Amino acid sequence: MSYDAIVLAGGAARRLGGADKPTLPVGGRTLLDRVLAACPDAAATVVVGSRRPTARPVDWTLEAPPGGGPVAALHAGLRRTTAALVLVLSADLPFLDGDTVRALLAAAAAGPGDGALLKDPGGRDQPLVAAYRAEPLRREIALLATEHGTLHGLPLRALTAELELVRVTPAAPLASFDCDTWEDLATARARIREHGNVLDQWINAAKNELGIDIDVDTKTLLDLARDAAHGVARPAAPLTTFLVGYAAARAEAAGADPARAVAEASRKAADLALRWAAEAESLAPEPTDPEGNGSP
């Protein structure tokens, strides 16, 4: 479905001693880039905050005057969007994933109300992990501006209290985890490196760094690396996976589907490794009897 994304990347980060929170790294990627990676298919992506390097192009804007708070920042971002559905995110969500984004967008699009927001594991609403219908969002912001004479300093609850919103419980319990303190940042960095997450997190970080977008069949590649290391020699594992990548890139350049090209190259290399191992076993000396007279 078509949507625009607004990422709020301002704020003083007082509990972080004024550090530039969106640029702090978790798992080798900035917090801002992690959030942007969760919504790569947005028709337009507007980041409200000071310009910073990002892994993909975005539209930058600032509320006037700067430091006006979340409602003012949201209004500034909304003025740069045209889609009927708007994804609104804070820039400090290291575990936000595409499934959560899609669930929010689907709930906002399907429901009769004004949008959908995430409900965290503690039951608290997360209005900066949400998808809103743009028309009622603009209407309520305009009413707030008329009522208060300004949007500066208004809390988000002044806005969301006037909207009919569906609550979405994420499949990933950490999707709404945000980094407000150094302790939060340390926790996020430790969680990224937990055994059950580290490979997926590393692959996503590496793809982002290399500027590639391809589904990686981790099990197939790990099995290939194991067979190459066992059947040939340990250094054969990284060299073989490099060659598989190179072969897949050539196949893609010739018009093949990237994921299929990787799978086919992996299959061929794995078959070769198994043949190599079988041949090595056939060259092994036959077992001898205890007296050294050869096989019985």
Side-chain angles (χ1 to χ4, degrees):
M1 71 189 69
S2 180
Y3 70 98
D4 290 338
I6 300 172
V7 181
L8 304 190
R14 292 183 181 88
R15 287 192 282 174
L16 286 166
D20 187 13
K21 180 163 61 169
T23 66
L24 295 175
V26 173
R29 288 190 290 169
T30 67
L31 288 169
L32 177 55
D33 274 341
R34 285 187 165 274
V35 171
L36 293 175
C39 52
D41 55 346
T45 301
V46 181
V47 179
V48 186
S50 301
R51 286 179 176 269
R52 306 164 173 96
T54 52
R56 68 176 176 87
V58 299
D59 184 16
W60 295 93
T61 192
L62 281 170
E63 70 272 28
V71 177
L74 179 53
H75 180 233
L78 200 57
R79 293 174 64 183
R80 307 293 283 267
T81 66
T82 58
L85 204 57
V86 180
L87 180 71
V88 176
L89 304 168
S90 61
D92 61 350
L93 303 165
F95 301 107
L96 182 68
D97 62 335
D99 288 343
T100 299
V101 166
R102 286 186 286 274
L104 287 168
L105 292 168
D114 300 322
L117 54 72
L118 207 66
K119 184 172 72 172
D120 72 17
R124 295 176 294 271
D125 287 349
Q126 299 294 324
L128 293 183
V129 194
Y132 299 95
R133 294 183 183 273
E135 190 277 327
L137 196 60
R138 288 191 172 93
R139 181 192 68 228
E140 291 304 329
I141 288 176
L143 289 173
L144 284 174
T146 300
E147 179 182 352
H148 296 274
T150 180
L151 297 174
H152 191 96
L154 292 183
L156 269 174
R157 64 178 175 273
L159 174 61
T160 56
E162 303 302 324
L163 297 171
E164 183 183 343
L165 301 171
V166 175
R167 271 64 182 175
V168 174
T169 301
L174 291 176
S176 62
F177 182 93
D178 56 4
C179 293
D180 288 329
T181 67
W182 291 113
E183 183 180 357
D184 292 338
L185 193 70
T187 298
R189 288 170 172 170
R191 288 288 184 93
I192 285 290
R193 287 164 173 77
E194 286 179 353
H195 179 69
N197 298 325
V198 67
L199 283 180
D200 285 341
Q201 292 291 344
W202 166 252
I203 287 171
N204 287 334
K207 289 195 296 185
N208 182 75
E209 191 73 16
L210 297 172
I212 57 176
D213 183 17
I214 182 175
D215 290 331
V216 178
D217 188 338
T218 305
K219 183 180 184 304
T220 296
L221 290 176
L222 289 178
D223 287 347
L224 166 60
R226 178 203 62 207
D227 292 340
H230 176 74
V232 185
R234 288 183 66 85
L239 293 172
T240 304
T241 52
F242 165 77
L243 292 173
V244 163
Y246 184 77
R250 289 188 62 185
E252 181 186 2
D257 174 73
R260 276 188 194 207
V262 171
E264 179 63 11
S266 298
R267 182 191 64 77
K268 290 180 178 179
D271 287 347
L272 174 61
L274 293 175
R275 294 199 307 270
W276 189 288
E279 183 178 311
E281 289 176 6
S282 72
L283 295 174
E286 294 185 1
T288 59
D289 65 25
E291 297 182 4
N293 295 322
S295 300

